[in-house]
Amino acid sequence: MRTQVAIVGAGPAGLLLAQLLHLRGIDSVVLEAKSRHYIEHRVRAGVLEHQSVDILNEAGVGARMMREGLLHHGLMLRFSGQVHRIDLTALTGRAVMIYGQQEVVKDLVAARVATGSPLHFEVEDVQPQEFDTDRPRVLFRSGGTQQVLECDYIAGCDGFHGPCRVSISPTELKLFERVYPFAWLGILAETPPASEELIYANHERGFALLSMRSPTVSRLYLQCAPDESLENWPDERIWSELQTRLGSGRDLDLRIGPILQKGVTPMRSFVAEPMRHGRLFLAGDAAHIVPPTGAKGMNLAITDVYLLAEALARHYRDGQDDRLNEYSATCLRRIWKVQRFSWWMTMLLHRFSDDSEFDRRRQLAELDYITSSRVGAQSLAENYVGLPL
Ligand code: PHB
């Protein structure tokens, strides 16, 4: 088997890369360890930067997003029971789109299937090899048969736990990591969102977030312990804690509804440098993780593969490798700014077990600055809607 670009992973990064390459006349094969049903139903992030919306539209996969997605022009910050609105559109001229990652994945899988190009699910034992030579290849097993995929380039879009990053010699990689002493307990619930806009709450019992997926489905999160067991969280406790942290009664009409999904998301900041090793290019979570507070994970994956598709097109169309050579540095410049923002949002909104009165005062001062200075609010808004490519 031979292709131009072997893509490992069919999340938003791998599938979007396949589609962008297809539009540029470049062949690829996509390999995914999980089943189609699994990747189309795993509940993940839901906020798209305006630029991500443009890229998905340009890739020809934005029609359903434009119909069903919810355009948000602002967000709410709730501190000490008081709500402050950040008017994203007044501050930046931009908005964000609420549209679930699994919906993006469904649209991308449909587009891939329509091209008739290879997309293999439930492959096992994926091994990227020889990427420091001119003849890289990927070994894998599919339906019990051992396969060899020869290619010009390998794109590692296989997430934090995938085989690509770990196939690089540790001496060639520099890792940066910060693990936070808490996690998010997230639920998807069949209940209309209690607020038209997202509410990020800093409460003395911990952070909470009200988000949504549609006019009838809410997505809600609570800060919890990093090793939290779901057994400790029967539905009643989740709703009562959400009401305490987000507000209830006159403040907010948070209506209890059936919980469709429950999960715990660990919080970490992580970067692996560089993102290119010979003919292997890392993109998305394979190269970096951000804590979800800034809603940036899927957006970084989208911008990484957009740059990678452009760089590969320049190679195949113009015979120039300048963009491929610059890929890692160009991505990392943006990634570190997004890391900074995600860390900052995390530090602004959470309770730390060793919180001092100093930290509390610092958070309140930060909020006061954001809500009283246009420049302060604009900095948050500019980062939230997305920095330019
Ligand atoms: C979500 O809707 O899942 C969501 C929204 C905003 C965040 C994180 C997650 O910051």
Side-chain angles (χ1 to χ4, degrees):
M1 217 190 298
R2 194 182 151 82
T3 189
Q4 290 177 301
V5 183
I7 301 176
V8 183
L15 290 166
L16 178 60
L17 178 62
Q19 173 70 2
L20 293 170
L21 293 179
H22 169 76
L23 295 174
R24 288 157 179 75
I26 301 167
D27 283 337
S28 66
V29 171
V30 184
L31 304 176
E32 167 60 45
K34 298 286 199 305
S35 69
R36 176 170 178 177
H37 184 271
Y38 180 90
I39 64 159
E40 290 189 342
H41 293 87
R42 73 181 149 194
V43 181
R44 292 284 156 89
V47 181
L48 291 166
E49 296 176 351
H50 68 94
Q51 202 160 229
S52 301
V53 169
D54 292 347
I55 292 172
L56 291 170
N57 278 323
E58 191 188 312
V61 292
R64 194 165 66 94
M65 167 185 73
M66 298 310 284
R67 279 197 314 275
E68 297 177 12
L70 308 169
L71 204 56
H72 279 205
H73 296 282
L75 60 83
M76 306 289 191
L77 296 175
R78 187 175 198 271
F79 271 65
S80 319
Q82 277 196 309
V83 176
H84 308 265
R85 181 167 189 265
I86 303 294
D87 189 330
L88 298 172
T89 302
L91 292 161
T92 66
R94 311 280 192 184
V96 294
M97 181 74 91
I98 308 297
Y99 191 63
Q101 175 170 320
Q102 75 269 32
E103 304 308 322
V104 173
V105 166
K106 280 178 202 159
D107 297 341
L108 285 165
V109 170
R112 179 67 176 180
V113 169
T115 65
S117 302
L119 165 53
H120 300 282
F121 290 104
E122 296 177 81
V123 302
E124 294 172 303
D125 255 342
V126 175
Q127 294 180 44
Q129 291 188 339
E130 306 286 327
F131 47 80
D132 47 357
T133 74
D134 287 346
R135 308 193 54 187
R137 58 186 188 188
V138 182
L139 304 193
F140 65 99
R141 258 184 311 118
S142 178
T145 330
Q146 183 67 47
Q147 308 270 9
V148 182
L149 174 60
E150 295 179 346
C151 56
D152 299 335
Y153 296 101
I154 303 171
C157 304
D158 50 341
F160 184 68
H161 299 286
C164 288
R165 188 185 65 254
V166 293
S167 70
I168 300 163
S169 156
T171 57
E172 304 282 306
L173 275 179
K174 187 155 171 60
L175 307 181
F176 303 82
E177 186 167 34
R178 172 156 301 188
V179 178
Y180 300 88
F182 42 75
W184 283 12
L185 172 69
I187 63 162
L188 196 66
E190 211 175 300
T191 184
S195 159
E196 278 187 21
E197 296 182 334
L198 269 61
I199 303 176
Y200 290 85
N202 176 325
H203 188 271
E204 57 193 28
R205 296 175 60 85
F207 169 76
L209 169 61
L210 182 154
S211 179
M212 62 209 67
R213 286 295 175 270
S214 76
T216 55
V217 176
S218 299
R219 178 81 172 139
L220 298 142
Y221 298 96
L222 288 166
Q223 176 182 348
C224 62
D227 51 358
E228 194 74 54
S229 160
L230 286 176
E231 280 166 28
N232 297 334
W233 289 90
D235 295 4
E236 315 77 70
R237 181 174 174 211
I238 294 177
W239 288 112
S240 121
E241 197 61 34
L242 283 167
Q243 278 169 340
T244 304
R245 297 191 197 177
L246 289 166
S248 60
R250 254 186 311 127
D251 279 0
L252 194 77
D253 186 16
L254 188 64
R255 283 193 224 154
I256 292 171
I259 296 183
L260 309 171
Q261 193 265 356
K262 257 188 225 184
V264 174
T265 313
M267 305 272 289
R268 74 166 86 227
S269 303
F270 172 83
V271 182
E273 293 185 0
M275 289 165 66
R276 177 210 183 152
H277 296 267
R279 288 173 172 260
L280 169 63
F281 292 83
L282 301 176
D285 283 6
H288 43 73
I289 298 287
V290 286
T293 328
K296 292 296 179 206
M298 173 166 52
N299 294 293
L300 276 183
I302 289 173
T303 38
D304 283 358
V305 298
Y306 183 76
L307 291 168
L308 185 53
E310 289 289 300
L312 288 165
R314 179 132 170 91
H315 167 84
Y316 285 111
R317 189 188 55 219
D318 308 329
Q320 297 290 330
D321 284 351
D322 50 348
R323 297 279 190 84
L324 286 174
N325 295 336
E326 290 157 10
Y327 169 76
S328 176
T330 308
C331 287
L332 284 165
R333 230 183 120 198
R334 187 161 200 283
I335 288 159
W336 275 108
K337 279 183 273 192
V338 173
Q339 286 288 0
R340 182 209 69 84
F341 176 67
S342 304
W343 167 87
W344 176 83
M345 282 281 278
T346 303
M347 299 303 285
L348 173 67
L349 292 164
H350 292 78
R351 281 312 173 101
F352 289 75
S353 50
D354 57 352
D355 257 3
S356 60
E357 274 302 301
F358 182 93
D359 286 309
R360 185 67 195 144
R361 292 286 197 280
R362 179 210 25 103
Q363 289 181 332
L364 292 172
E366 196 92 66
L367 175 76
D368 192 11
Y369 176 58
I370 296 164
T371 52
S372 63
S373 153
R374 185 177 169 91
V375 175
Q378 220 162 11
S379 167
L380 188 164
E382 180 185 37
N383 281 277
Y384 196 86
V385 300
L387 296 173
L389 259 181

